[in-house]
Amino acid sequence: MSINTLFWKQNPKGSKTRRPIRKMQRIKTVLSCLCLITTLLLITAAYSTEDTAVRLKLAHRDTLWPNPLSRIADIIGADQKRHSLISRKRKFKGGVKMDLGSGIDYGTAQYLTEVRVGTPAKKFRVVVDTGSELTWVNCRYRGRGKGKVENRRVFRAEESKSFKTVGCFTQTCKVDLMNLFSLSTCPTPSTPCSYDYRYADGSAAQGVFAKETITVGLTNGRKARLRGLLIGCSSSFSGQSFQGADGVLGLAFSDFSFTSTATSLFGAKFSYCLVDHLSNKNISNYLIFGSSSSSTSTKTAPGRTTPLDLTLIPPFYAINVIGISLGDHMLDIPTQVWDATTGGGTILDSGTSLTLLAESAYKPVVTGLARYLVELKRVKPEGIPIEYCFSSTSGFNESKLPQLTFHLKGGARFEPHRKSYLVDAAPGVKCLGFMSAGTPATNVVGNIMQQNYLWEFDLMASTLSFAPSTCT
């Protein structure tokens, strides 16, 4: 076939008619383009309608990024962060495993663990606090900070290769952190975002926010570096809660807590087992994030799981208490005491030592227990702000006390050990481990009441599981 024949096509009658094939293909291409343009115009018209829902779903990014290049850069950045998170999740096997022990040898009624902060990593002893959103350490930055005092270790921020302050002009500081604990002062863009963090017991910490690396041990025996965590570099702090500690490990249910990062990488569960609060520092158990052979899922007795409400009293871990009984007798406590919508409700808190109850719950509990302690002399030891204390020098058989039981939503019952509500407060002195929180008030189940129990917080299922344990 000749080259000319390529441009001609036989008509039905056999004669040649000028119908160039390539020209026809070009015409078809043009028509296709016109159709495509028409479709795009129709879509554009749909975008320009007053349908708010459509505009929110399809066009909201255009209003935020009028410059297409900045929009693309943002999308790429988000994709890179997501890919990094996926890679980190694949990289980390097992879960985080941290030693957890009583702080009694350090002069505190808190529970302590150790974290390794910075590059190179340095060890710090910190309070484990499920009621705190901020993780911070005793820190010296640009000449500000106490340095090493009272046997505390100090984090020298400028010696860490991974330490990077959060600027006070950033969205993280001005928007995300502002309503929680950041200060409004911001003289220059290079000024670090600062905080003044106040605790319910009057303790406080002041410093600057930073992104830093924390190195943790894993359940498989390996170590992992958690990069870019939000921490506080505290140049000043005060309060009895920090006695013997270098800082705080914030485990509250918050986007800014250590819990948020750890559960996003290792699975939405964490658990701990609190040893006896009078145990020496050589006795410890573990704080675990993610999977672990010590999970309560295989050890929890029937009826030992209750709903965990993560939105009721944020950022705390709220549980739904139905009532309290002594032995077989259910105490007469108004139902509104347990209702968070009327100022009541109950949280589980590792950072509070004693158990705090609203006045109308506190009175029936302590007076009911005191009836079984009439053989003991009532005393008021100096420096102990507990109402019901007794001399135990003559000895006392704890088994005479009735079983205190918290009745929880779903039928679960928490039965703390008797030593957890008749506590050793001083040599020869035992006290009922409760304080009045006033009215109305949030009820707090403190760490002494939680001791010798294994607790598992499932943040995905919103459940709390628990079982008695020696925690050794």
Side-chain angles (χ1 to χ4, degrees):
M1 183 180 294
S2 68
I3 294 178
N4 286 336
T5 311
L6 292 174
F7 290 89
W8 299 88
K9 186 175 181 179
Q10 289 291 124
N11 67 14
K13 295 182 179 180
S15 62
K16 288 184 178 180
T17 306
R18 290 187 176 273
R19 295 176 61 189
I21 297 175
R22 290 186 180 179
K23 287 185 178 180
M24 291 297 294
Q25 290 174 338
R26 291 171 185 166
I27 292 171
K28 290 179 180 179
T29 301
V30 170
L31 290 173
S32 299
C33 290
L34 288 173
C35 291
L36 179 60
I37 290 170
T38 302
T39 302
L40 290 173
L41 288 172
L42 289 171
I43 293 174
T44 302
Y47 268 89
S48 63
T49 64
E50 295 303 318
D51 189 336
T52 306
V54 173
R55 294 184 66 189
L56 284 173
K57 289 182 178 180
L58 302 179
H60 74 286
R61 289 185 179 271
D62 291 329
T63 62
L64 294 175
W65 296 281
N67 183 347
L69 291 179
S70 65
R71 177 181 177 183
I72 292 172
D74 182 80
I75 292 172
I76 292 173
D79 287 346
Q80 288 174 334
K81 287 179 182 179
R82 182 175 177 82
H83 183 265
S84 175
L85 179 61
I86 293 170
S87 300
R88 288 161 73 187
K89 282 187 175 182
R90 293 191 63 187
K91 177 182 177 181
F92 299 137
K93 303 294 183 181
V96 175
K97 186 178 183 180
M98 308 170 76
D99 288 339
L100 179 62
S102 168
I104 195 69
D105 283 352
Y106 301 100
T108 181
Q110 302 290 342
Y111 283 82
L112 307 175
T113 189
E114 283 193 338
V115 294
R116 293 170 174 82
V117 183
T119 307
K122 304 291 184 181
K123 278 186 182 181
F124 296 92
R125 187 186 308 118
V126 292
V127 174
V128 173
D129 188 1
T130 57
S132 177
E133 297 172 83
L134 179 63
T135 294
W136 62 265
V137 291
N138 180 27
C139 181
R140 190 169 181 83
Y141 175 67
R142 291 186 177 177
R144 299 181 62 184
K146 293 181 179 180
K148 191 171 183 179
V149 293
E150 301 175 3
N151 297 318
R152 288 187 173 98
R153 288 165 279 197
V154 59
F155 178 60
R156 302 186 183 279
E158 289 161 314
E159 295 179 5
S160 173
K161 298 177 182 177
S162 48
F163 182 86
K164 185 178 180 181
T165 58
V166 174
C168 64
F169 270 23
T170 62
Q171 177 173 318
T172 299
C173 183
K174 294 171 65 178
V175 180
D176 300 337
L177 299 173
M178 179 61 71
N179 294 330
L180 296 174
F181 30 62
S182 69
L183 300 178
S184 58
T185 56
C186 188
T188 67
S190 61
T191 302
C193 184
S194 59
Y195 61 84
D196 184 355
Y197 195 84
R198 303 281 170 165
Y199 295 84
D201 66 353
S203 301
Q206 298 83 29
V208 296
F209 288 108
K211 295 295 183 69
E212 185 53 290
T213 295
I214 292 183
T215 303
V216 295
L218 302 181
T219 53
N220 60 14
R222 298 182 180 181
K223 293 182 179 180
R225 292 184 180 88
L226 310 183
R227 297 180 172 86
L229 271 73
L230 180 74
I231 71 163
C233 171
S234 290
S235 56
S236 176
F237 55 93
S238 61
Q240 184 63 31
S241 295
F242 310 137
Q243 182 73 28
D246 306 316
V248 171
L249 184 68
L251 300 185
F253 186 69
S254 164
D255 291 339
F256 311 107
S257 71
F258 181 82
T259 299
S260 176
T261 299
T263 54
S264 69
L265 293 174
F266 299 96
K269 290 183 181 181
F270 74 93
S271 61
Y272 58 72
C273 201
L274 302 181
V275 299
D276 188 298
H277 73 288
L278 297 178
S279 299
N280 64 53
K281 61 185 177 182
N282 296 322
I283 299 175
S284 64
N285 201 265
Y286 300 104
L287 166 65
I288 292 175
F289 292 88
S291 60
S292 166
S293 59
S294 65
S295 171
T296 62
S297 59
T298 59
K299 298 183 179 182
T300 302
R304 296 289 177 97
T305 296
T306 188
L308 186 66
D309 201 315
L310 301 173
T311 60
L312 199 60
I313 315 175
F316 303 102
Y317 298 99
I319 54 176
N320 291 283
V321 176
I322 305 300
I324 295 178
S325 64
L326 293 179
D328 296 329
H329 175 61
M330 185 68 76
L331 298 178
D332 184 16
I333 299 173
T335 56
Q336 58 263 34
V337 166
W338 316 119
D339 187 355
T341 62
T342 59
T346 308
I347 65 170
L348 206 69
D349 183 24
S350 68
T352 299
S353 300
L354 298 175
T355 290
L356 280 70
L357 297 174
E359 181 67 18
S360 52
Y362 168 78
K363 277 298 182 185
V365 168
V366 293
T367 55
L369 288 170
R371 294 192 189 99
Y372 296 86
L373 301 171
V374 291
E375 64 186 71
L376 299 180
K377 180 183 178 181
R378 191 167 170 183
V379 296
K380 193 167 183 61
E382 186 178 351
I384 299 179
I386 303 178
E387 185 179 4
Y388 286 83
C389 291
F390 305 86
S391 172
S392 59
T393 53
S394 60
F396 177 72
N397 185 358
E398 289 183 352
S399 64
K400 292 182 179 180
L401 275 179
Q403 176 62 59
L404 174 79
T405 302
F406 290 84
H407 298 261
L408 307 175
K409 184 177 180 179
R413 294 186 302 172
F414 168 44
E415 301 171 332
H417 305 285
R418 286 171 173 80
K419 67 177 181 179
S420 299
Y421 50 92
L422 183 64
V423 302
D424 291 305
V429 177
K430 288 182 181 290
C431 299
L432 294 178
F434 302 90
M435 290 184 67
S436 173
T439 302
T442 300
N443 305 284
V444 181
V445 179
N447 59 38
I448 295 178
M449 196 69 73
Q450 298 177 46
Q451 68 183 352
N452 291 124
Y453 262 79
L454 184 61
W455 301 90
E456 181 182 80
F457 299 73
D458 189 330
L459 306 185
M460 182 67 71
S462 294
T463 58
L464 175 70
S465 299
F466 52 94
S469 172
T470 60
C471 298
T472 56

